[in-house]
């Protein structure tokens, strides 16, 4: 926000006046987790390029067939995981653990830890599932401070990572089969849709003349 204020103070003022809960993830009252949905839309758009200009029935067949293949591939991938969490979350935890190993920690009570090192010293609270850096509370994936605290307490990582990131949740997301249409043969891509013939203005005028004249 400081950088934005320097570049465009009017825009910064406008954003401050608007409700930050509407555009700032850390102030959102709901749980947003760590999923970026625009990637899904981009993948669908890229897939649909190949079916551009085909009849609608063929387009539906095309989408069904491709989604069926995507679901099957992702289901197989989730089944092949030997880790506790999804591939992306495991990678994130490994990177953060690397930084956590350079930190020091002091335990305050059963749930609270004071972690030193990194960009700032932080208070990790496992009862509240939060860290003063803000990352743990927003993502539901422990930040490097929380990882340091978990390791020092000798707890398993699965006790602090939100269950939605587990590999069985990934599998369940793609568990449903998308069945192909075998009842009706689709119209093939060789048949092209022709636009309707427009009614010209002079025809309309002539019929009016015919009515009144
Ligand atoms: Zn933190």
């Amino acid at each position: 926000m400081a950088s934005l204020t320097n570049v465009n103070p009017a825009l910064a003022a406008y954003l401050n006046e608007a409700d930050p809960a509407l555009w700032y993830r850390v102030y959102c009252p709901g749980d947003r987790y760590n999923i970026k949905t625009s990637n899904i839309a981009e993948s669908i758009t890229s897939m649909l390029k190949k079916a551009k200009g085909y009849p609608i029935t063929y387009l539906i067949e095309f989408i069904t067939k491709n989604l069926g293949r995507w679901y099957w591939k992702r289901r197989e991938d989730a089944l092949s995981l030997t880790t506790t969490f999804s591939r992306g979350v495991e990678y994130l935890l490994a990177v953060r653990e690397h930084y956590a190993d350079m930190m020091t920690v002091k335990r305050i009570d059963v749930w609270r830890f004071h972690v030193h090192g990194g960009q700032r010293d932080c208070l990790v609270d496992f009862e509240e599932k939060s860290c003063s850096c803000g990352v743990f509370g927003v993502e539901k994936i422990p930040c490097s401070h929380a990882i340091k605290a978990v390791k020092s307490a000798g707890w398993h990582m699965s006790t602090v990572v939100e269950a939605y990131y587990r590999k069985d949740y990934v599998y369940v997301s793609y568990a449903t089969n998308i069945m192909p249409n075998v009842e009706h043969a689709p119209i093939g891509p060789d048949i092209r849709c022709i636009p309707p013939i427009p009614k010209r203005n002079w025809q309309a005028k002539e019929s009016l003349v015919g009515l009144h004249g």
Side-chain angles (χ1 to χ4, degrees):
M1 281 308 285
S3 309
L4 186 65
T5 310
N6 282 337
V7 177
N8 192 337
L11 178 59
Y14 170 80
L15 286 171
N16 270 326
E17 274 175 38
D19 185 0
L22 297 175
W23 57 269
Y24 206 165
R25 193 165 70 138
V26 79
Y27 293 124
C28 175
D31 287 333
R32 299 293 299 271
Y33 301 96
N34 197 27
I35 308 297
K36 295 185 183 78
T37 50
S38 69
N39 293 357
I40 297 166
E42 282 159 27
S43 299
I44 297 273
T45 308
S46 167
M47 180 248 281
L48 290 181
K49 270 184 199 161
K50 295 166 197 156
K52 239 181 183 178
Y54 290 152
I56 194 78
T57 47
Y58 180 76
L59 181 70
I60 298 293
E61 284 296 314
F62 183 84
I63 293 169
T64 309
K65 208 163 69 183
N66 276 287
L67 282 183
R69 188 168 53 85
W70 285 4
Y71 267 57
W72 172 76
K73 274 181 78 178
R74 279 154 183 75
R75 199 160 56 222
E76 289 293 302
D77 186 50
L79 267 180
S80 74
L81 288 175
T82 52
T83 50
T84 310
F85 306 105
S86 72
R87 198 168 271 118
V89 172
E90 289 285 351
Y91 173 75
L92 204 58
L93 288 172
V95 170
R96 288 178 183 176
E97 194 173 339
H98 169 75
Y99 291 103
D101 287 344
M102 293 183 265
M103 297 172 179
T104 55
V105 60
K106 281 195 187 90
R107 196 164 187 167
I108 300 166
D109 61 17
V110 182
W111 301 111
R112 276 162 281 268
F113 298 79
H114 191 196
V115 182
H116 303 266
Q119 287 183 328
R120 53 182 283 188
D121 290 356
C122 279
L123 183 72
V124 179
D125 187 334
F126 287 111
E127 200 173 25
E128 293 289 323
K129 292 184 176 174
S130 69
C131 173
S132 42
C133 77
V135 174
F136 183 29
V138 170
E139 289 185 353
K140 325 290 179 204
I141 301 169
C143 55
S144 42
H145 312 110
I147 290 175
K148 182 71 196 181
V150 164
K151 284 180 81 177
S152 76
W155 299 338
H156 195 272
M157 203 59 76
S158 63
T159 56
V160 293
V161 180
E162 180 62 58
Y164 295 127
Y165 294 114
R166 296 172 69 98
K167 67 173 173 188
D168 43 323
Y169 275 80
V170 181
Y171 178 79
V172 166
S173 303
Y174 299 105
T176 311
N177 278 322
I178 297 178
M179 302 303 286
N181 169 26
V182 289
E183 299 271 318
H184 311 283
I187 300 168
D190 50 319
I191 299 171
R192 300 195 67 81
C193 281
I194 303 161
I197 300 162
K199 198 175 180 183
R200 292 182 186 172
N201 277 343
W202 62 266
Q203 280 177 323
K205 274 178 196 161
E206 239 182 28
S207 63
L208 279 175
V209 171
L211 274 174
H212 299 290

